[in-house]
Amino acid sequence: MIAAEVPEVVGVVYGIRLRLSAEFRYVGITTKGARRRFLQHLRNARDGRKTPFYDWLRKHGRAELVVDVLETITGDLAELGKAECLWISQLREAGHDLLNLSEGGLGPTGVVWTDAQREAARIRSTDRPGVSRPGDLNPFFGHSHTDEQRQTWSESRRGTNVGPDNPNFGRFGPDHPSFGRVLSAESRRLLSEGRTGPLNPNFGKTASSETRALQSAAQKGVPKPSSVRSAHTRYHTNKGVVSPICKFCRESAVSDENSSESEKQ
């Protein structure tokens, strides 16, 4: 007998209310568990996030609040988003005074600010001290992202801000926002120390035999002087400098002497 395949749970629809009330004030969705998402909401409220829902959360203690799982969704994320929209619609029709700013669903909230709202927000935020949590006050202090997470970010950002998509594309000289900026000696020192020795991501690494073979094949047949010869031309010949430890300077001196002797004869 073949056991029936159990559909995979993709997330839940949850509702938040007061413990002594049956009226829900907020409906949301999550793939991480309702309780975990509830704790994130409480943390956002403590950090001062400004929405009607978070303003309401700050008025009540944690013991006064309850999070209920309204529905467990199987299938895919699209079904999860549809379920949230349905619950918000049904609860509002039933008279629940929800504090959701949108009708739910995946993606952007769907709330489009008017010019007046944007101007009011700009005025409110002017000279407002931000929430700064430096050093050990930051919850991520002492931690580092995994290699897998870094790789995920690298792949997701690859190809972005390239060419015309870059906001500084085609901007040179005074038109570029970084024009005229010079790093201070202290900044240069810190950058140097941050990439010295074991702090350098390439510290202790050597190119594999395969990489060396590919590099050699790519350069094969390309006419160019050696790097030492190029350095001699750039820093000695072009500047009229003679170095006693440079073999090309010595060869040049011998060649000049031979030329002088030939002219005398």
Side-chain angles (χ1 to χ4, degrees), residues 242-258:
V242 177
S243 173
I245 62 174
C246 175
K247 69 174 184 178
F248 297 106
C249 287
R250 294 196 299 268
E251 291 175 358
S252 179
V254 172
S255 177
D256 291 341
E257 291 177 359
N258 293 336

Side-chain angles (χ1 to χ4, degrees), residues 103-181:
E103 300 304 319
L106 302 176
T109 62
V111 178
V112 180
W113 282 17
T114 64
D115 292 339
Q117 287 175 317
R118 292 181 182 277
E119 179 63 15
R122 184 191 68 79
I123 294 174
R124 288 197 306 270
S125 62
T126 301
D127 297 328
R128 177 191 296 168
V131 179
S132 179
R133 292 183 291 180
D136 55 3
L137 297 178
N138 192 305
F140 200 68
F141 179 74
H143 299 279
S144 59
H145 296 293
T146 63
D147 293 337
E148 291 78 10
Q149 181 61 62
R150 293 175 182 272
Q151 182 64 24
T152 299
W153 282 334
S154 175
E155 293 176 355
S156 65
R157 296 168 183 170
R158 185 174 299 163
T160 59
N161 287 337
V162 175
D165 293 334
N166 192 309
N168 293 321
F169 178 75
R171 302 173 68 180
F172 302 97
D175 294 333
H176 197 281
S178 296
F179 178 75
R181 295 183 183 178

Side-chain angles (χ1 to χ4, degrees), residues 9-264:
V9 175
V10 296
V12 298
V13 182
Y14 64 89
I16 298 177
R17 60 180 175 84
L18 291 176
R19 187 177 298 276
L20 300 179
S21 173
E23 179 186 23
F24 287 102
R25 302 306 308 277
Y26 183 82
V27 172
I29 55 176
T30 180
T31 60
K32 303 297 184 181
R35 184 177 181 278
R36 180 175 177 181
R37 186 70 180 106
F38 176 58
L39 295 177
Q40 290 177 339
H41 283 311
L42 294 177
R43 183 165 59 250
N44 291 338
R46 289 196 303 269
D47 290 343
R49 184 170 296 184
K50 294 288 186 180
T51 68
F53 170 57
Y54 288 118
D55 291 342
W56 176 78
L57 280 182
R58 280 187 285 270
K59 295 178 182 178
H60 304 282
R62 178 176 174 179
E64 302 176 63
L65 302 167
V66 174
V67 57
D68 294 327
V69 174
L70 302 177
E71 185 178 359
T72 300
I73 305 300
T74 58
D76 55 26
L77 291 176
E79 294 298 324
L80 184 61
K82 292 178 182 178
E84 182 188 28
C85 294
L86 183 61
W87 273 100
I88 290 176
S89 175
Q90 290 179 343
L91 289 176
R92 280 179 170 160
E93 289 179 0
H96 292 252
D97 187 15
L98 295 179
L99 297 170
N100 293 70
L101 292 176
S102 70
E103 300 304 319
L106 302 176
T109 62
V111 178
V112 180
W113 282 17
T114 64
D115 292 339
Q117 287 175 317
R118 292 181 182 277
E119 179 63 15
R122 184 191 68 79
I123 294 174
R124 288 197 306 270
S125 62
T126 301
D127 297 328
R128 177 191 296 168
V131 179
S132 179
R133 292 183 291 180
D136 55 3
L137 297 178
N138 192 305
F140 200 68
F141 179 74
H143 299 279
S144 59
H145 296 293
T146 63
D147 293 337
E148 291 78 10
Q149 181 61 62
R150 293 175 182 272
Q151 182 64 24
T152 299
W153 282 334
S154 175
E155 293 176 355
S156 65
R157 296 168 183 170
R158 185 174 299 163
T160 59
N161 287 337
V162 175
D165 293 334
N166 192 309
N168 293 321
F169 178 75
R171 302 173 68 180
F172 302 97
D175 294 333
H176 197 281
S178 296
F179 178 75
R181 295 183 183 178
V182 179
L183 288 176
S184 65
E186 178 67 12
S187 297
R188 291 177 180 273
R189 182 184 64 80
L190 292 175
L191 287 172
S192 176
E193 292 178 353
R195 288 293 183 268
T196 301
L199 297 178
N200 191 311
N202 293 319
F203 178 75
K205 295 182 180 179
T206 57
S208 64
S209 300
E210 181 181 1
T211 299
R212 292 179 181 274
L214 291 174
Q215 292 174 338
S216 176
Q219 297 296 323
K220 189 174 182 179
V222 179
K224 60 179 181 179
S226 67
S227 59
V228 177
R229 181 74 189 192
S230 297
H232 162 73
T233 302
R234 177 178 298 177
Y235 297 108
H236 297 162
T237 305
N238 294 345
K239 295 183 178 181
V241 175
V242 177
S243 173
I245 62 174
C246 175
K247 69 174 184 178
F248 297 106
C249 287
R250 294 196 299 268
E251 291 175 358
S252 179
V254 172
S255 177
D256 291 341
E257 291 177 359
N258 293 336
S259 298
S260 298
E261 292 177 357
S262 298
E263 291 176 357
K264 291 178 181 180

